[in-house]
Amino acid sequence: MVNFSSYVGRVTATVLTLALLLAAIAAWRWGRAAAYAVLFAAFLSVINMLILGGRLIALPASTQRAAQRLGGAVLQRWIITILGLIFAIFWLHLPVVGLVAGFLLTHFVFLAFLVRERSRQRS
């Protein structure tokens, strides 16, 4: 559990640091709304990662129950993502380009950490 917590902390810190940097660039280039969109998408992705991580830690021993729990986590993540995007686009009026940039940033950071972790396990 300690390894998971430190891993999640490193990923979260990296995502949020890079999101702040990208938001500063977006604010400079396209305005404040684009910066808010990048930050909103990054926070939404981090929340989704934490939800799935929490579900993975608490998986039951039964394969059937574990599959159901993971399916529920994936469904929950999709619902949160879709509702978050609807909220961001239609109520906060955030630009879609900034939201996409924030999501791409966080997903590439997650992918880089996974690839790095996988290569460490193979060594």
Side-chain angles (χ1 to χ4, degrees):
M1 177 114 172
V2 172
N3 288 339
F4 179 77
S5 297
S6 65
Y7 180 77
V8 170
R10 287 192 316 266
V11 173
T12 302
T14 303
V15 164
L16 295 180
T17 302
L18 291 175
L20 284 172
L21 178 64
L22 184 60
I25 292 169
W28 170 70
R29 180 71 177 111
W30 296 290
R32 228 183 308 170
Y36 291 149
V38 169
L39 292 175
F40 186 89
F43 284 123
L44 190 59
S45 291
V46 167
I47 289 168
N48 282 332
M49 179 188 68
L50 294 175
I51 288 170
L52 184 61
R55 293 285 182 111
L56 288 174
I57 290 294
L59 280 180
S62 164
T63 309
Q64 175 86 16
R65 295 281 301 147
Q68 289 173 347
R69 193 164 176 100
L70 281 177
V74 169
L75 181 63
Q76 185 180 18
R77 288 181 64 188
W78 274 105
I79 290 171
I80 289 172
T81 300
I82 291 170
L83 290 177
L85 288 174
I86 289 170
F87 176 75
I89 293 169
F90 294 110
W91 195 38
L92 297 176
H93 304 289
L94 295 177
V96 174
V97 173
L99 293 169
V100 169
F103 274 118
L104 285 176
L105 170 76
T106 55
H107 285 82
F108 281 129
V109 170
F110 296 151
L111 180 63
F113 269 86
L114 288 174
V115 167
R116 189 175 104 193
E117 196 65 28
R118 184 63 129 177
S119 67
R120 283 185 180 176
Q121 289 175 356
R122 289 185 180 167
S123 307

